Amino acid sequence: MVGAKETAATDRRDRFIPIRKSDVLDAVISHGGLDDAQAADLRHLAHMLGAILHHEYFDELDRLRDVYFDFDPEVPAGRHRSAQELDTAYCNLTDEFVRVLGEANFIEISRDEIERAFAEHALVRVKLRAPVSDFRAVRMFRRGTHQETIEVPMLYGLRRRKQDIEVYDDIILMVATRPDEPTKKKRKTAAWRGRNKIRGGAVLFKYFRHIARFDLEALLPNVRVVMGLREQLTLGVPALVGGVPILLKLASTLTVLFIVAGFYLGLSGTVHDNDTEQALAALSGLFALGAFILRQWGNFHRQSLIHQKQVTDNIYFRNVNNNSGIFNYLIGEAEDQDWKEAVLAYGGLLLASVPLSRAALGSHVEELLQQMFGLGRAFNIDEALIRLREFGLVSGDDESLSALPLPEAIAQLDRVWANALRA
C-alpha cells in the first residue's frame, strides 16, 4: 500500500467534495458578486470544461475496461498469455485503477490501519477470520468519513452501551487471487476457489457504502465466522455438565455390554438375565450419548449460521456494485471531482484582486468551502492547477498565479475542444 501512509501523514482531512456541481458554480458566482453577463460567461466556461473532461474520461473508461478484461472473474480465462505478459497487464490494471481512484479523491487505507481494524469489531459483533495470505493482493480505498453513535449489546443483550464509531462513506475493495500453478498445491487452491466461484488470477473490485472502520475485515470474500471464547464456553459448559453423568453411567455398564455382545457372537461363554438388562441399558446410554453429541454439534452450527447471517445482513445491503460495474461510477466520480476542483481554482483566481500563490489559492478555496457549505476539506490544489495549466486557463508560477479573463478563457477552451475532436 505504497503512498497511503505518506498521504495520511501529510493531511488526514478528506479531499472529497460532496456538493452538486450546480451548487459549486452558484457558490463561486454569489461569493464573487458577479453581474449577469459575467455569471453567464462563467457558466458557459464551466459547461465547456465539463464537455472536455467528459470526452477525456470516456476514453479513460475504455482503457480501464480493456486492461481489466483478462482479470474479470466473470470472464473465463480465454486467450493464452505468458506469465510475464500477465504480470505486466496486472501492473497496468492496478496503476490505471489506482490513478482513477486518486482522481475521484479516494485515499488508500494503510496496512497498519487495516490490521488495527481487523483486531477490533463494532457493528459486526462476532469473531471473524479472513486469511489475507490466500490472495495475491488486498487493497482498500476510502472516501468521506462521519461519526455515528451506536448501541452495543452487553451481558447477552440485558444491557446496552453507546459507542462512537468512525464510518467511511465509500469503500472500494480490490482483491487479486493468486494465479494457478501446475503444482501439487494447485489442487488445494483450486478446490477452495471452486467453493467460492473465483478463478485463479482474477481481480475482484467491490464498492461499499457506510462501512464502520472496525468492520473492514467483514468485506473480504473469504471471511468466515469462528467461535470466540464466549461462544465456546456457552456451548462447551452445558456439554460437559450434561455429558459427564452419561459417561459415568456408561462406565459401569460397558463391560457387561461387551460380554453380552461376545456371547451372541460366539466369542464368550454364558450370560445371566441381569447381564442382558444391563447391556440394554448400556446400549440405551450409548444412543443417548450419541444424540447428545449430535445436538451439541447442531447447536454449534446453528450458532455459526446465526453469526454468519449477522455478517451477511450487515454487509449485503451495503454492497453497491462489483467488478467492471464499478468503472462507470468511478469514472463519473473522477470526472465530477476534477470539474469541481478546476472550477473552484479558476473561480478563486478570477475573483482575486491580485495574483495568488499556490498555497494562498488552496487556503482561499478551503475557506470558501467552509463558509458556503460548512465543509472542512483539504483542497486538492495540485490536481486543480494541473488541469488549469493543461487547458491554458492560468498563467504564472506557483508564487504568482493569475486566471485568464473569461472571454479569453472561453476562446481558449474552444481551441482545446476543437483539438480534442480532431485527435
Side-chain angles (χ1 to χ4, degrees):
M1 302 185 179
V2 181
K5 187 176 293 185
E6 290 79 359
T7 301
T10 303
D11 198 331
R12 289 291 297 174
R13 292 179 300 163
D14 211 308
R15 298 174 300 176
F16 174 48
I17 305 175
I19 309 168
R20 292 185 308 174
K21 294 167 67 173
S22 58
D23 292 337
V24 169
L25 190 55
D26 290 342
V28 173
I29 292 173
S30 62
H31 182 73
L34 300 180
D35 57 34
D36 291 342
Q38 291 173 317
D41 284 344
L42 184 58
R43 291 184 186 279
H44 183 53
L45 181 141
H47 178 74
M48 294 180 64
L49 182 62
I52 294 171
L53 289 175
H54 186 70
H55 181 271
E56 288 189 2
Y57 277 105
F58 180 81
D59 294 336
E60 185 80 39
L61 178 59
D62 281 344
R63 286 195 299 271
L64 198 54
R65 286 171 173 168
D66 185 62
V67 296
Y68 185 55
F69 181 81
D70 288 315
F71 304 96
D72 190 341
E74 299 175 9
V75 177
R79 54 180 175 174
H80 175 73
R81 304 185 71 177
S82 66
Q84 184 176 0
E85 289 175 331
L86 286 175
D87 285 341
T88 301
Y90 174 75
C91 292
N92 292 336
L93 171 63
T94 55
D95 291 344
E96 192 80 9
F97 187 71
V98 171
R99 185 173 61 80
V100 172
L101 285 173
E103 292 171 350
N105 283 332
F106 278 85
I107 299 173
E108 185 164 5
I109 305 175
S110 68
R111 183 172 296 276
D112 291 340
E113 188 176 355
I114 291 177
E115 290 176 353
R116 287 196 303 271
F118 281 13
E120 304 172 6
H121 303 285
L123 296 179
V124 181
R125 305 297 299 173
V126 295
K127 186 175 181 181
L128 304 176
R129 181 171 297 168
V132 179
S133 59
D134 287 347
F135 299 107
R136 178 180 184 177
V138 175
R139 303 174 72 174
M140 294 183 180
F141 305 82
R142 64 173 176 85
R143 190 183 70 173
T145 61
H146 67 274
Q147 296 290 324
E148 287 186 7
T149 301
I150 62 171
E151 290 187 347
V152 180
M154 300 175 61
L155 299 177
Y156 300 95
L158 298 178
R159 293 184 57 188
R160 291 179 175 271
R161 63 179 176 86
K162 292 185 177 181
Q163 179 178 350
D164 293 329
I165 61 172
E166 182 182 9
V167 178
Y168 297 136
D169 296 336
D170 298 283
I171 287 286
I172 298 292
L173 172 67
M174 173 183 171
V175 176
T177 62
R178 298 183 184 277
D180 288 331
E181 298 178 1
T183 61
K184 183 177 180 180
K185 186 179 179 180
K186 174 185 174 181
R187 289 195 294 269
K188 180 180 178 181
T189 307
W192 177 85
R193 287 180 184 142
R195 295 192 299 272
N196 291 272
K197 310 298 184 184
I198 306 174
R199 67 174 177 85
V203 178
L204 286 77
F205 296 117
K206 291 183 174 292
Y207 166 43
F208 299 92
R209 291 276 295 167
H210 299 145
I211 297 296
R213 182 174 66 87
F214 299 129
D215 292 335
L216 293 178
E217 187 176 18
L219 306 182
L220 296 180
N222 66 337
V223 66
R224 58 190 179 91
V225 174
V226 296
M227 286 295 178
L229 179 60
R230 186 180 67 178
E231 288 80 8
Q232 292 175 1
L233 292 176
T234 302
L235 295 177
V237 171
L240 289 175
V241 174
V244 167
I246 297 176
L247 291 174
L248 292 176
K249 184 177 180 180
L250 283 176
S252 60
T253 57
L254 279 178
T255 304
V256 179
L257 178 62
F258 288 132
I259 293 174
V260 172
F263 170 77
Y264 283 104
L265 293 174
L267 302 177
S268 61
T270 60
V271 296
H272 302 287
D273 291 340
N274 61 338
D275 291 338
T276 303
E277 295 175 358
Q278 293 183 21
L280 291 175
L283 193 61
S284 300
L286 285 176
F287 279 117
L289 179 62
F292 180 79
I293 293 174
L294 289 176
R295 185 171 67 251
Q296 291 302 115
W297 184 254
N299 289 338
F300 176 84
H301 282 282
R302 176 178 174 275
Q303 195 69 23
S304 296
L305 288 174
I306 292 174
H307 290 340
Q308 190 68 51
K309 184 178 183 299
Q310 183 181 356
V311 174
T312 303
D313 288 347
N314 182 62
I315 301 302
Y316 176 82
F317 295 103
R318 302 175 191 272
N319 182 213
V320 179
N321 214 327
N322 301 291
N323 301 329
S324 59
I326 292 178
F327 297 159
N328 286 314
Y329 167 78
L330 285 182
I331 290 296
E333 285 295 298
E335 177 186 327
D336 195 63
Q337 294 295 305
D338 213 349
W339 183 92
K340 293 174 186 177
E341 291 163 357
V343 168
L344 285 168
Y346 178 81
L349 291 175
L350 180 68
L351 302 177
S353 57
V354 295
L356 299 178
S357 67
R358 171 191 165 280
L361 176 59
S363 298
H364 176 70
V365 174
E366 290 176 8
E367 290 175 4
L368 173 64
L369 291 174
Q370 181 67 48
Q371 179 181 344
M372 301 295 293
F373 304 103
L375 289 176
R377 290 293 191 265
F379 183 65
N380 197 351
I381 183 63
D382 291 329
E383 292 296 327
L385 288 178
I386 288 174
R387 279 299 188 185
L388 293 181
R389 285 179 170 135
E390 177 186 350
F391 298 143
L393 300 180
V394 66
S395 62
D397 56 23
D398 284 352
E399 297 302 320
S400 181
L401 296 166
S402 298
L404 204 64
L406 278 172
E408 298 177 27
I410 292 173
Q412 172 63 19
L413 286 185
D414 274 330
R415 290 188 289 270
V416 173
W417 178 245
N419 291 334
L421 292 179
R422 284 196 296 266

